[in-house]
Amino acid sequence: AWLTCDETDSDAIVLLSGLAAALASSGTAYTAPPGPVTVDEPAFTRSVLPAFMQSVSSIRPPVTIVIDEVQLVKGVQARFVLKAFINALPAGSQIAIVGRSLQGLPLPLWRGQGRVADVTAEDLAFGVAETREALEDLTRARVADHQVARVVEATQGWPVAVYLMSQAHAPD
């Protein structure tokens, strides 16, 4: 399942609906909770959120989900929805939380529980061997060591930048 968040997901109901739609479209046996959905308190905290968590926890088989652009989700209730969703996922589920900032989420706790793993910018960057392979695949030519070193230095290993440099006249 995949959800790319935007500013509207700061509304807890929009976020909850987006997560439910992502689950439903993924082919899992997700069933939306019955009853009205409201952000009015105390109904949201005492009824809506627990019913949503119960529906998520009953998903079979476990799900893999990506929640992208999480930094756009603001507000206490929307963060409650994210936390409740992740905490309710059945054992064996995998989640990728992607964003420029992940403040307000209990990442150390989830990391300790094995729910999340960190993937940093450095993890996504090409090393020397990967840069060489990409350049040679893209240019269909052997690339000299000094050319690879220059591209790695100039691009810091970012794959898109490596691609763009490969499309220039020559990596030198």
Side-chain angles (χ1 to χ4, degrees), residues 132-152:
R132 175 184 303 284
E133 183 179 346
L135 288 172
E136 290 179 353
D137 284 349
L138 292 164
T139 62
R140 300 189 193 292
R142 181 92 175 105
V143 180
D145 290 345
H146 75 279
Q147 292 173 312
V148 174
R150 183 177 173 283
V151 171
V152 169

Side-chain angles (χ1 to χ4, degrees), residues 87-138:
N87 287 330
L89 286 170
S93 293
Q94 297 178 334
I95 185 160
I97 306 167
V98 183
R100 291 174 190 87
S101 171
L102 303 177
Q103 295 176 349
L105 297 175
L107 293 175
L109 173 65
W110 291 338
R111 194 177 299 117
Q113 294 172 336
R115 292 181 179 269
V116 296
D118 295 306
V119 179
T120 65
E122 292 79 24
D123 297 323
L124 299 174
F126 283 170
V128 173
E130 294 161 317
T131 300
R132 175 184 303 284
E133 183 179 346
L135 288 172
E136 290 179 353
D137 284 349
L138 292 164

Side-chain angles (χ1 to χ4, degrees), residues 2-121:
W2 190 292
L3 174 65
T4 299
C5 299
D6 62 28
E7 291 81 6
T8 63
D9 289 301
S10 291
D11 179 307
I13 300 304
V14 173
L15 179 58
L16 194 143
S17 299
L19 290 166
L23 289 173
S25 69
S26 73
T28 63
Y30 173 77
T31 304
V37 179
T38 180
V39 291
D40 295 335
E41 290 294 355
F44 178 76
T45 304
R46 292 186 182 162
S47 178
V48 173
L49 209 49
F52 177 64
M53 290 175 70
Q54 179 61 39
S55 291
V56 170
S57 68
S58 67
I59 294 171
R60 297 294 179 264
V63 66
T64 298
I65 186 163
V66 175
I67 304 175
D68 197 4
E69 299 289 345
V70 171
Q71 78 277 359
L72 299 174
V73 178
K74 310 282 186 206
V76 173
Q77 284 185 320
R79 292 292 176 161
F80 281 157
V81 169
L82 275 176
K83 291 175 192 176
F85 175 77
I86 293 166
N87 287 330
L89 286 170
S93 293
Q94 297 178 334
I95 185 160
I97 306 167
V98 183
R100 291 174 190 87
S101 171
L102 303 177
Q103 295 176 349
L105 297 175
L107 293 175
L109 173 65
W110 291 338
R111 194 177 299 117
Q113 294 172 336
R115 292 181 179 269
V116 296
D118 295 306
V119 179
T120 65

